[in-house]
Amino acid sequence: MSAASRPSRLTANRIRAMKGGTPIVCLTAYTTPIAKILDEHCDLLLVGDSVGMVLYGMESTIPVTLDMMIAHGKAVMRGSKRACVVVDMPYGSYQESKEQAYRNAVRILQETGCDAVKLEGGEEMAETISFLSARGVPVLAHIGLMPQQVHTTGYRSVGHTEAETAKIRRDATAIGGSGAFAIVLEGTVESVAREVTDVLQIPTIGIGASAACDGQILVSDDMLGLFSEFTPRFVKRYDELGRRVERAVAAYASDVRVRLFPGEEHTFKRREHARKTYGSATDAPSLATIES
Ligand code: KIV
């Protein structure tokens, strides 16, 4: 079924059931207008903590707060009707204990109305994911390259060595049995991504993890050419919106400077007859009513 002909919002369970079928289409969204555009084309919208880097100019996702994620989660929910909306749990909001994770996941679900949360981590987070899943919180897991671990591992693809491969296998096995409804596999070499996808009963959603995965996700601003601080190798740019915005802004600036904008068609004119009809200022309608 195409995204556009889907009758109602996709749930986490329906995403899980897409394992092995038509690839699952996912993108990040942080705002209402972008969510409105993406919604009918995507199965899943992720309110990623990448919002910190993409919209706020932060150098990593580490400074992103729970309040920021909730505000952007609400914005995306206002723009979305069909896609399964997942909100990222930011760094420090779930690692301390499973109780902390549950408390903050509940805040996200209750305050945004989203369908599920995402958190990073393999073996070490499996118990937390089981705790959340058993209490009604659908969890999208995230292994491979984990941006919240930038201070210990850096941003680099994984699965190149036997040790890295063994770690991904352990993480995938632990998460596969934890109750997560799907798993994001980031920056992982193709052979390992394929093996994990073949072995797991839940869908893998790849970002820089090859076409072997059950679905794909990209940061929207990357694939639209809006965020150009750096472009990872795994990003395909489908447009150059940044350049287009620059051209439009340059045209606006030049029009303003030579008084080409605003033109007659953008200018309100007083309708003299409306003033004449109403004798005094007090019984006249507001300017907004009589001007067009
Ligand atoms: O925060 C994010 O946007 C993500 C995706 C890159 C998967 O976690």
Side-chain angles (χ1 to χ4, degrees), residues 28 30 46 48-50 88 118 120 142 184 186 207 217 219:
T28 62
Y30 317 115
L46 172 68
D49 60 354
S50 50
D88 243 340
K118 174 166 88 60
E120 293 181 14
H142 182 154
V184 168
E186 179 163 356
I207 171 162
I217 186 162
V219 169

Side-chain angles (χ1 to χ4, degrees), residues 7 27 68 89 106 134 142 188 193 210 212 225 259 283:
L27 281 172
M68 285 168 71
M89 297 194 73
V106 167
H142 182 154
T188 302
S210 85
R259 295 192 192 283
D283 48 36

Side-chain angles (χ1 to χ4, degrees), residues 18 22-23 29 38 45 67 72 87 103 134 145 149 239 264-265:
M18 291 171 81
T22 306
L38 305 187
L45 294 180
D67 287 341
H72 286 281
V87 175
R103 210 168 34 249
L145 190 167
Q149 309 213 353
D239 209 325
E264 286 293 295
E265 69 277 33

